[in-house]
Amino acid sequence: MYVILVYDVNEKRVNKVLNICRKYLTWIQRSVFEGEITEGKLYLLKNELKKVIKDDDMVIIFKLDGKFLVEKEVMGKGSADTNVL
Amino acid sequence: MYVILVYDVNEKRVNKVLNICRKYLTWIQRSVFEGEITEGKLYLLKNELKKVIKDDDMVIIFKLDGKFLVEKEVMGKGSADTNVL
């Protein structure tokens, strides 16, 4: 499975969320992670996040069957990274 | 086509980028938009963004053939919105 994870969390919790996500996914932009992940690892990631985030925080996980289903285009910084996944 | 658009832009340009994206996509979280869009409209959106963003800004567009390819899960605020697209 391939996921794109975005979050908008309180400043006090950003580092904790960042460090949790880093264990499972690849950081690509402020508050944005992506990567291949198994159901099991996603379950662990979500459990860790649940222990940290509060009601006014928000995490959105976009789940796809595979990386091949999405084409990523980058504008501005890192635009040389434009690649078809 | 269905896209997820994320951006990390200089504070001075955030409002401009926000207002441009709002014309074409749906705001779902700070610096994150999603929605169905045609190739033509995506072309126009990117052209408008190109006129505004600078080299230290970053916009990432994830393009998928359709909304049906992605499952969206929300944690925290708006988690009642967990739905399969």
Side-chain angles (χ1 to χ4, degrees):
Chain A
M1 173 177 24
Y2 174 75
V3 303
I4 299 160
L5 183 150
V6 298
Y7 57 80
D8 181 11
V9 303
N10 184 297
E11 204 51 42
K12 286 176 290 183
R13 292 182 284 280
V14 164
N15 278 340
K16 270 188 187 168
V17 169
L18 177 73
N19 291 327
I20 290 171
C21 291
R22 267 208 181 115
K23 294 194 291 187
Y24 298 90
L25 296 169
T26 305
W27 183 95
I28 53 170
Q29 184 187 92
R30 185 166 46 162
S31 305
V32 182
F33 281 79
E34 68 174 356
E36 297 278 355
I37 191 169
T38 62
E39 286 281 356
K41 286 273 168 81
L42 181 59
Y43 178 81
L44 295 175
L45 166 59
K46 288 192 305 188
N47 267 353
E48 288 198 53
L49 289 174
K50 271 179 203 156
K51 289 177 193 152
V52 170
I53 65 171
K54 307 285 184 215
D55 285 347
D56 56 338
D57 298 327
M58 188 179 192
V59 176
I60 304 176
I61 303 170
F62 297 93
K63 297 182 263 188
L64 300 103
D65 285 344
K67 212 174 185 176
F68 61 95
L69 292 172
V70 61
E71 178 190 336
K72 180 170 97 172
E73 183 170 350
V74 181
M75 298 174 67
K77 191 167 46 178
S79 51
D81 177 31
T82 302
N83 52 23
V84 177
L85 298 179
Chain B
M1 174 177 22
Y2 174 74
V3 302
I4 300 158
L5 182 150
V6 298
Y7 57 80
D8 182 11
V9 301
N10 184 298
E11 203 52 42
K12 286 177 291 185
R13 292 183 285 278
V14 164
N15 279 340
K16 270 189 189 167
V17 169
L18 178 72
N19 290 328
I20 290 170
C21 291
R22 265 208 183 116
K23 293 195 291 187
Y24 298 89
L25 297 169
T26 305
W27 183 96
I28 53 171
Q29 185 188 89
R30 184 164 46 159
S31 304
V32 182
F33 282 79
E34 69 174 356
E36 297 279 355
I37 191 169
T38 63
E39 288 278 358
K41 286 273 168 78
L42 182 59
Y43 178 81
L44 295 176
L45 166 59
K46 288 193 303 187
N47 267 354
E48 287 198 52
L49 289 174
K50 272 179 203 157
K51 289 178 193 151
V52 170
I53 65 171
K54 307 284 185 216
D55 287 346
D56 57 336
D57 297 327
M58 189 179 192
V59 176
I60 304 176
I61 303 171
F62 297 93
K63 296 182 266 188
L64 301 103
D65 286 345
K67 211 174 184 176
F68 63 95
L69 292 171
V70 60
E71 179 190 338
K72 179 169 99 173
E73 184 171 351
V74 181
M75 298 173 68
K77 191 169 45 181
S79 51
D81 177 30
T82 304
N83 56 22
V84 176
L85 297 181

